């Protein structure tokens, strides 16, 4: 086909336009190629404000920094083990949910609280170590009634403040915190509640022996928290005739709440060196 025939089908100005467009596209492509391979290398790296060192890091420096950083072991962090409470092996375990729910009455004095003041009318109550934690664990699986033997209205305010500060009121129904001023009143409350277990520790002027004697026939189990010296008097070799009537299969003796069978059921296990 001759050039004359092509020019008849396509005007000459159209052919020139296509030629110019192809040339322009080639020039633009060449400029982009040059910029990508040569122009970007001439740009200085960005610097931090204030004239600091370059923000960019080479692969080798990044690898060195990663190697210098300490590697943390997988899994959750373990809590620090400090103090006497850390020697409670296991703490509160998930198995406590398997414990059958029971109705339990707890006389707080000498069990949960202790009063270092020699004047019963000017008390200075404080929690026994780990007692609040045991009570909180028990409240989650049992129905607790707390009983406080009071000597004054000021003492009731102090006890209420301690319970609020410890957070126990979030676990224990405030309507089940009961107060009495006599041992007879305490016994009446306990027999009316009809608990499966009662925990007794007496009060400032008595270790609760008479209460244990009177409740033992009516309560399935009585846990008596007493001093080590008093507990040693119940050794069979040294047992007095007057003490024989208090011991029975449903009476458990312990020196601390955390050492009782209730605490063990809730997951607390005391190290042997703490029991000796």
């Amino acid at each position: 086909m001759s050039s004359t025939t092509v020019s008849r089908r396509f005007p000459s100005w159209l052919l020139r336009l296509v030629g110019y467009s192809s040339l322009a596209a080639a020039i633009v492509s060449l400029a982009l190629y040059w910029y990508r391979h040569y122009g970007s290398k001439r740009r200085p790296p960005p610097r931090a404000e204030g004239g600091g060192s370059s923000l960019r890091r080479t692969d080798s420096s990044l690898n060195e920094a990663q190697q210098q950083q300490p590697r943390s072991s997988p899994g959750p962090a373990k809590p620090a083990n400090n103090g006497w409470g850390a020697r409670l092996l296991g703490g509160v375990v998930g198995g406590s949910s398997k414990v059958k729910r029971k109705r339990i009455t707890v006389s707080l004095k000498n069990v949960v609280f202790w009063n270092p003041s020699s004047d019963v009318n000017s008390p200075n109550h404080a929690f026994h170590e780990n007692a609040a934690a045991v009570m909180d664990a028990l409240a989650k699986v049992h129905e607790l009634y707390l009983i406080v033997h009071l000597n004054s209205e000021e003492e009731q305010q102090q006890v209420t403040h301690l319970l609020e500060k410890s957070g126990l009121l979030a676990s224990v129904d405030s309507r089940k915190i009961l107060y009495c001023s006599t041992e007879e009143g305490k016994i009446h409350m306990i027999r009316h509640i009809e608990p499966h277990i009662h925990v007794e520790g007496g009060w400032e002027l008595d270790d609760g022996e008479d209460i244990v004697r009177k409740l033992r026939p009516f309560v399935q189990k009585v846990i008596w928290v007493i001093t080590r010296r008093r507990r040693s008097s119940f050794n069979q070799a040294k047992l007095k005739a007057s003490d024989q009537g208090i011991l029975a299969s449903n009476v458990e003796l312990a020196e601390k709440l955390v050492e009782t069978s209730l605490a063990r059921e809730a997951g607390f296990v005391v190290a042997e060196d703490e029991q000796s």
Side-chain angles (χ1 to χ4, degrees):
M1 184 180 294
S2 63
S3 59
T4 305
T5 304
V6 174
S7 61
R8 289 178 180 176
R9 293 182 179 179
F10 299 96
S12 58
W13 63 269
L14 181 59
L15 294 176
R16 286 195 297 270
L17 179 61
V18 172
Y20 294 150
S21 299
S22 300
L23 180 60
I27 294 173
V28 171
S29 299
L30 181 61
L32 290 175
Y33 176 83
W34 181 88
Y35 176 80
R36 290 175 180 175
H37 288 78
Y38 301 99
S40 60
K41 294 182 179 180
R42 296 183 179 182
R43 298 177 61 186
R47 294 182 177 273
E49 295 181 3
S53 60
S54 172
L55 295 177
R56 298 177 61 187
R57 302 175 64 182
T58 62
D59 293 341
S60 59
S61 63
L62 180 60
N63 292 335
E64 291 176 0
Q66 291 175 343
Q67 292 175 0
Q68 293 175 359
Q69 292 179 354
R71 296 183 179 180
S72 58
S73 58
K78 297 181 179 180
N81 293 330
N82 297 319
W84 189 91
R87 291 191 287 272
L88 294 177
L89 305 181
V92 182
V93 297
S96 60
S97 59
K98 300 179 181 179
V99 178
K100 184 178 179 181
R101 187 173 179 83
K102 301 173 183 177
R103 188 183 306 114
I104 301 174
T105 52
V106 181
S107 181
L108 295 187
K109 285 190 174 181
N110 298 333
V111 175
V112 177
F113 296 146
W114 72 291
N115 180 18
S117 175
S118 58
D119 185 1
V120 296
N121 295 317
S122 300
N124 186 24
H125 292 295
F127 278 98
H128 279 297
E129 196 165 16
N130 296 291
V134 175
M135 292 295 292
D136 182 66
L138 293 176
K140 293 177 180 177
V141 293
H142 297 300
E143 181 184 2
L144 290 190
Y145 289 81
L146 310 185
I147 302 176
V148 187
H149 188 148
L150 294 177
N151 299 304
S152 64
E153 293 183 1
E154 291 77 14
E155 186 178 22
Q156 180 175 347
Q157 296 175 359
Q158 186 179 127
V159 168
T160 302
H161 175 72
L162 282 174
L163 292 174
E164 290 176 348
K165 188 176 180 180
S166 68
L168 279 178
L169 292 184
S171 305
V172 180
D173 188 343
S174 59
R175 295 170 297 181
K176 296 179 181 179
I177 301 176
L178 310 175
Y179 300 92
C180 64
S181 58
T182 63
E183 292 185 352
E184 290 76 12
K186 182 194 292 187
I187 294 173
H188 176 76
M189 288 180 180
I190 296 168
R191 292 196 59 181
H192 179 74
I193 295 171
E194 297 182 342
H196 299 91
I197 300 174
H198 173 67
V199 185
E200 181 59 46
W203 57 300
E204 288 89 347
L205 302 181
D206 188 80
D207 62 4
E209 177 180 340
D210 190 54
I211 295 175
V212 174
R213 287 181 182 273
K214 292 179 179 179
L215 288 178
R216 182 176 61 80
F218 305 101
V219 180
Q220 294 181 17
K221 184 173 184 178
V222 178
I223 299 177
W224 189 17
V225 178
I226 52 179
T227 63
R228 179 175 300 185
R229 181 177 180 180
R230 183 70 174 98
R231 184 180 180 183
S232 64
S233 67
F234 290 99
N235 188 303
Q236 291 297 328
K238 305 177 182 178
L239 188 62
K240 299 178 182 179
S242 58
D243 290 335
Q244 292 180 355
I246 195 172
L247 293 182
S249 59
N250 67 331
V251 177
E252 175 185 335
L253 304 181
E255 296 174 24
K256 302 174 184 177
L257 176 63
V258 74
E259 297 175 1
T260 63
S261 58
L262 272 178
R264 289 193 295 272
E265 289 177 2
F268 289 84
V269 181
V270 181
E272 293 182 0
D273 59 340
E274 293 295 337
Q275 294 180 335
S276 59

